[in-house]
Amino acid sequence: MNSFKEEYRVPIFNLIKNCYSRTCQDLLSLGNEDANQLSVDLKKLFFMYNKKQFNQLKNIHESIYKLTWNKLLKQGGWEHICLRESFIMGQLAGITYWYTQNDLIKTLEICDQSFIMGAPKELLLPIMDELSKKQTPTTTTTTTSTSSSIPMILNENVNFSKFPIIDKNHEIKVIECKNNGSDYLNEFSIFKNQHLNTMTPCVIKGDANNWECINKWKDLNYFLSNHGNRIVPIELGHNKLDSKTKKQQTTANNDNNINSIDWSEKLMKLKDFIEEYMIPSSKDNDSTNTESSKVAYLAQHGLIEQLPSLLNDFKFPLFLQTTGDAKVHETEEEGISPHIWLGTGNTITPLHFDSYDNFLTQIVGYKYVRLYPQNQISNLYLKKDESDDNNLVKNSKTAQNNISFVDFEDTDFEKYPLLNIANQHYTESILAPGDILFIPSGYFHYVRSLSTSLSLSFWFIKK
């Protein structure tokens, strides 16, 4: 049995000590049997943690998990914050127990789930970092052979003829960043004066072409063998958009619910996500039209924080290093926390805007992007994403609840006539591996993957 390090135990105990009494009171105010049992469990948890009786925490963790997680799955959300607090304290008990049992995989699994569900990062990341360094490729077991490369994308399976045709009159401007000594000063001057200062999007070519991840992350086996047992949040399905085609389908089926086609969220092991969705998509010769049941997306997730070894595989964009404080709202004290977008073909990010400038960098595969300036806001049919209130996974870190569920590639102009005005002002592009798209803060953007795809977002604050 392992001892639980004091640098882990003390801050966890302090959180439990400071929270459990108030949480128990809130639970009792809910006035139901499950909440009453959670209150009893939390009091036992505090007593056991205070006495360092870590070998008795297993049953408490399992009881709290069952009561809180089942309620979340059944109701799509927690009715009171005390249920989330109970879940987090129960997870910390589980982490402590399984750590002392020297069960690396189980401890990391609970850490991952807690990280995704919003437990304090300052408590989790040191433990996750320690255990990740102990993990070896042999720790991960998969049903797929780990002895050879598993390409994320095969060019022979990419049907370029199905890609959208870019209107040259609306194409996003392309600039270079070759990093050739004195040339760089001129390249940065062009970017700063013509794009950064004027809040004008551009595609930057040359900078990311030699990043190690451009080739390394093409191999799905790299993720399988090194990180396959890690838990990640996955969005399943893509049919949240209101399209002309969907209108015809729902009318034919006498279905009045335009958003009735499935979309859901699920926590999965990375290996299950890859084997069930990514590998089949990589073999699909028409992944631009992947049907909803086969679409899966690890979207806007802090995988770099969760798996910090990935930082070794890429650099920060040069223009970003020259441009600003590089502070993102999530971890301002530490600087940038890049986010990963990994998914099958035909994943869709509905039109929305972010509060931070962004360098969206395409690593593997291809994506179609369409942008609208902020002055078109009244023509874009924005609405609050009501599903975000009860999302299983709260990962909308930069969206401002300004989102449009119109399908901008298959628009019903009878229903949305103002888009005829907006469409006079859009710009568009197809991002290929190594391309960096500068998206100014407040700029609306719609994104669809045209193949299996992996991208990195670098949100930043300029000087």
Side-chain angles (χ1 to χ4, degrees):
M1 179 179 292
N2 279 347
S3 62
F4 198 54
K5 295 181 178 179
E6 281 294 286
E7 61 260 40
Y8 301 156
R9 184 196 69 82
V10 172
I12 290 177
F13 176 67
N14 286 338
L15 180 144
I16 295 170
K17 180 176 65 175
N18 293 332
C19 293
Y20 91 98
S21 180
R22 174 179 49 81
T23 301
C24 287
Q25 292 176 13
D26 290 340
L27 287 167
L28 293 174
S29 71
L30 294 181
N32 62 67
E33 185 176 342
D34 287 348
N36 292 340
Q37 181 59 52
L38 282 170
S39 178
V40 172
D41 287 342
L42 287 180
K43 290 174 182 177
K44 291 180 180 178
L45 169 57
F46 172 74
F47 176 83
M48 293 175 184
Y49 223 97
N50 188 38
K51 297 296 184 180
K52 299 184 182 180
Q53 297 173 349
F54 301 143
N55 62 329
Q56 298 183 41
L57 290 174
K58 181 174 183 286
N59 290 339
I60 292 295
H61 163 248
E62 291 176 346
S63 175
I64 294 175
Y65 182 85
K66 181 179 179 181
L67 290 169
T68 54
W69 193 251
N70 285 349
K71 187 177 289 291
L72 177 65
L73 295 180
K74 183 177 180 180
Q75 299 180 352
W78 282 308
E79 62 193 88
H80 194 284
I81 192 172
C82 64
L83 296 171
R84 178 179 290 275
E85 293 168 347
S86 300
F87 171 80
I88 290 173
M89 284 186 272
Q91 291 291 92
L92 294 173
I95 290 168
T96 305
Y97 173 78
W98 290 109
Y99 183 100
T100 60
Q101 300 302 307
N102 200 28
D103 191 323
L104 166 68
I105 292 178
K106 184 66 175 178
T107 307
L108 272 176
E109 180 180 310
I110 301 173
C111 283
D112 285 340
Q113 189 179 26
S114 305
F115 174 83
I116 293 165
M117 299 305 297
K121 292 180 181 180
E122 64 273 17
L123 302 184
L124 297 176
L125 291 179
I127 301 173
M128 294 165 68
D129 185 52
E130 177 200 332
L131 299 183
S132 295
K133 290 175 180 176
K134 293 180 179 178
Q135 197 174 30
T136 64
T138 55
T139 306
T140 299
T141 57
T142 71
T143 58
T144 303
S145 171
T146 57
S147 61
S148 60
S149 174
I150 306 172
M152 186 184 301
I153 185 169
L154 297 169
N155 279 335
E156 59 266 29
N157 286 336
V158 179
N159 193 340
F160 293 97
S161 66
K162 294 291 185 70
F163 282 18
I165 299 174
I166 301 301
D167 186 334
K168 296 299 180 182
N169 295 319
H170 291 274
E171 188 169 14
I172 300 171
K173 185 177 179 180
V174 175
I175 65 173
E176 299 287 338
C177 180
K178 297 178 180 178
N179 191 24
N180 291 331
S182 60
D183 288 345
Y184 176 74
L185 295 177
N186 181 58
E187 291 166 348
F188 179 73
S189 178
I190 292 172
F191 168 69
K192 181 178 180 181
N193 295 327
Q194 298 181 17
H195 299 280
L196 183 67
N197 291 345
T198 62
M199 305 288 283
T200 303
C202 64
V203 174
I204 304 162
K205 289 185 177 289
D207 181 15
N209 288 347
N210 295 320
W211 290 3
E212 187 176 352
C213 61
I214 294 290
N215 288 313
K216 190 173 185 179
W217 292 0
K218 282 181 182 178
D219 182 9
L220 289 170
N221 192 35
Y222 169 73
F223 294 98
L224 279 172
S225 60
N226 291 286
H227 308 294
N229 279 313
R230 304 305 294 271
I231 305 294
V232 290
I234 303 297
E235 297 179 6
L236 302 175
H238 65 201
N239 290 293
K240 295 180 73 175
L241 300 186
D242 188 356
S243 67
K244 184 177 180 181
T245 300
K246 184 180 290 185
K247 176 183 177 181
Q248 295 168 347
Q249 292 172 343
T250 55
T251 301
N253 296 330
N254 295 317
D255 185 354
N256 294 322
N257 184 359
I258 201 70
N259 289 314
S260 62
I261 303 178
D262 58 11
W263 183 91
S264 62
E265 294 173 289
K266 184 178 182 180
L267 300 189
M268 302 179 69
K269 287 192 174 182
L270 190 57
K271 66 179 180 180
D272 295 332
F273 165 57
I274 289 173
E275 292 176 343
E276 293 176 27
Y277 294 97
M278 293 298 294
I279 291 176
S281 182
S282 71
K283 298 176 181 178
D284 186 356
N285 61 9
D286 190 15
S287 58
T288 57
N289 294 311
T290 302
E291 61 185 69
S292 182
S293 63
K294 298 179 181 178
V295 167
Y297 207 9
L298 197 169
Q300 193 177 300
H301 176 53
L303 194 66
I304 305 300
E305 281 190 289
Q306 190 178 357
L307 307 176
S309 63
L310 297 178
L311 276 168
N312 300 323
D313 298 337
F314 63 89
K315 303 174 182 178
F316 289 170
L318 280 171
F319 288 164
L320 173 59
Q321 297 179 44
T322 311
T323 293
D325 296 329
K327 296 285 185 73
V328 79
H329 57 297
E330 258 193 317
T331 56
E332 289 190 351
E333 74 283 358
E334 298 173 358
I336 286 180
S337 176
H339 282 65
I340 273 184
W341 308 75
L342 171 64
T344 64
N346 213 16
T347 60
I348 294 173
T349 301
L351 190 83
H352 69 287
F353 75 84
D354 301 328
S355 299
Y356 295 82
D357 295 319
N358 183 16
F359 283 114
L360 176 62
T361 306
Q362 192 62 18
I363 305 300
V364 181
Y366 302 86
K367 279 185 171 174
Y368 170 75
V369 292
R370 180 180 289 208
L371 309 180
Y372 291 85
Q374 181 70 213
N375 62 16
Q376 292 304 303
I377 189 169
S378 61
N379 299 321
L380 296 173
Y381 297 92
L382 303 180
K383 64 180 293 186
K384 185 177 184 291
D385 184 2
E386 296 175 357
S387 67
D388 192 54
D389 291 336
N390 289 308
N391 274 354
L392 173 63
V393 181
K394 298 285 186 181
N395 65 359
S396 298
K397 298 183 179 67
T398 56
Q400 303 300 300
N401 283 328
N402 284 315
I403 190 167
S404 177
F405 289 103
V406 177
D407 189 332
F408 286 84
E409 296 182 84
D410 185 23
T411 304
D412 181 357
F413 287 103
E414 291 184 4
K415 186 173 182 179
Y416 305 110
L418 293 178
L419 287 181
N420 286 299
I421 299 174
N423 280 349
Q424 298 174 32
H425 304 280
Y426 78 89
T427 52
E428 62 182 353
S429 183
I430 291 176
L431 301 181
D435 288 349
I436 301 175
L437 173 63
F438 169 60
I439 307 175
S441 62
Y443 233 91
F444 291 94
H445 46 288
Y446 161 94
V447 185
R448 181 169 69 91
S449 62
L450 305 175
S451 67
T452 45
S453 172
L454 193 156
S455 312
L456 281 169
S457 281
F458 298 86
W459 285 293
F460 69 99
I461 301 173
K462 56 179 174 286
K463 291 178 182 177

